[in-house]
Amino acid sequence: MTQFANYINGEWLQGAGINKNVNPSDLSDIIGEYAQADAAQADIAIAAAHAAFPAWSVGNIQARSDALDKIGSEILARKEELGRLLSREEGKTLAEGIGEAGRAGNIFKFFAAEVLRIQGQKLASVRPGMDIEITREPVGVVGIIAPWNFPMAIPAWKIAPALAYGNTVVFKPAELVPGSAWAIADIISRSGIPAGVFNLVMGRGSVVGQRFIDDRRVSALTFTGSVSTGGRVAQGCVARMAKFQLEMGGKNPLVVLNDADLNVAVTAAVQGAFFSTGQRCTASSRIIVEKDIYPRFIEAARNQLAGLKIGHALTADTNIGPVVDQSQLDQNLSYVEIGKQEGANLVFGGERVKRDTDGFYMTPALFADCNNDMRISREEIFGPVASVIPADNYEHALQLANDTEFGLSSGICTTSLKYATHFKRNAQAGMVMVNTATAGVDYHVPFGGRKASSFGPREQGAYAAEFYTTVKTAYTSA
């Protein structure tokens, strides 16, 4: 069995332990054994990034751009191979895995160009003979803690801007998906980036992640994961006044009005709620439907779900792959029982199913006749479980959509320009979708939410500069 090491200060180092990477589509398939760092190895990585920062932060920007472009080009050239690895270890379909790998490559290419257009300002002073320059500078060592559900795209949209703006990186991927992280690190190791600038430290969050939080040499920490863990990250960073960025949960609404195109609305709901096995923070897990179209919507959604194939992620005709692991499967099925106990009507799925290979398979669960006070309508499940909630009219639907502690993504299906325009302005979310799924975003524009979903500057696109740089104002007397 192949063993994969951590990448620290330009070297591949074995860890203090081993993590076996299991395919959720086939539990007999062990992808590899991946190093597990302890606190001491995490300290070595932080020290390496800290030592590499002075030279990298003021180095040649063309060399920095060339390295990021080389990384992006290799990812794109190998996207089918990398996408297969991603799907094999995370469980999303092969088409989704290849698409995500391609997105990761494009992110690195985007930030390769951003390196060459880091902007500042030159302003006139209110004092005669005084010159003012406003510039952006890197913050220092950036700690990156990434989740398992997008094991290439999310690391890419954190690593690429961190490096582009002159920071050094210590990166801890989720334990469930070390293969994708290792593959990215392997590509970065051959890009020409100096030793210590990028470091891969695979290991437990309570060990490696905690070192990132506690160590004063880590100037900034970007985290994507659960609300509870995000809260602990925030507390630790505030205690030592480190910069931090959080992307956490979602309970995203999709509003369907009476005038909506039914096929468009059902497709948006099914794709948004259930594709990628519902394991997306942007998934539309609350579907709010006006009463006149409600019965037809439920019937059409059931029919579309019945036509989907749940199976091995690498099988060509699979629409929905397995859940990522046993713990997540147990959580999903427990919420199905909670929904039944709360009085919701399970109109489709919600069952553990067997396939030719032993994996974590379940049918997508669609609940009807829900209300916004049910736990299945308020708590993030992070699986293929969705609640359909009736609404009296547009105003009621908007109120229901905004009645949540989260505010990541929000959607509406309507043919009315009036309602679409009003919803875009009044939906309390960081991203709004009209006549399309709440999940699915471009890589060159801001990503993030409000309320309990996000904290700090947006990720992705040119807005990433807000987190990965600090602003300096310089005065010169003539």
Side-chain angles (χ1 to χ4, degrees), residues 17-22 32-36 174-178 202:
I18 291 293
N19 172 30
K20 286 189 177 182
N21 190 10
V22 179
E33 294 182 341
Y34 290 79
Q36 291 274 281
E175 292 176 79
L176 287 172
V177 288
M202 299 178 288

Side-chain angles (χ1 to χ4, degrees), residues 133-137 139 243 465-466 469-473:
E133 292 178 329
I134 303 169
T135 55
R136 288 192 174 274
E137 297 183 356
V139 296
K243 194 173 187 180
E466 296 297 325
T469 64
T470 185
V471 174
K472 177 181 283 184
T473 305

Side-chain angles (χ1 to χ4, degrees), residues 335-346 349-351 367 376:
Y335 271 102
V336 171
E337 293 306 312
I338 288 169
K340 293 176 183 178
Q341 293 166 11
E342 290 181 313
N345 179 18
L346 182 62
E351 300 172 337
F367 281 100
I376 59 170

Side-chain angles (χ1 to χ4, degrees), residues 79 89 98 105 113 119 126 135 150 166 186-187 243 252 254 256 269 289 330 377 382 389 397 422 440 459 478:
K79 66 180 182 180
E89 73 169 352
I98 293 171
Q119 297 182 5
V126 296
T135 55
F150 283 89
D186 177 53
I187 293 170
K243 194 173 187 180
N252 309 290
L254 177 69
V256 179
V289 183
D330 291 343
S377 302
F382 218 68
I389 303 168
H422 188 272
E459 298 195 277

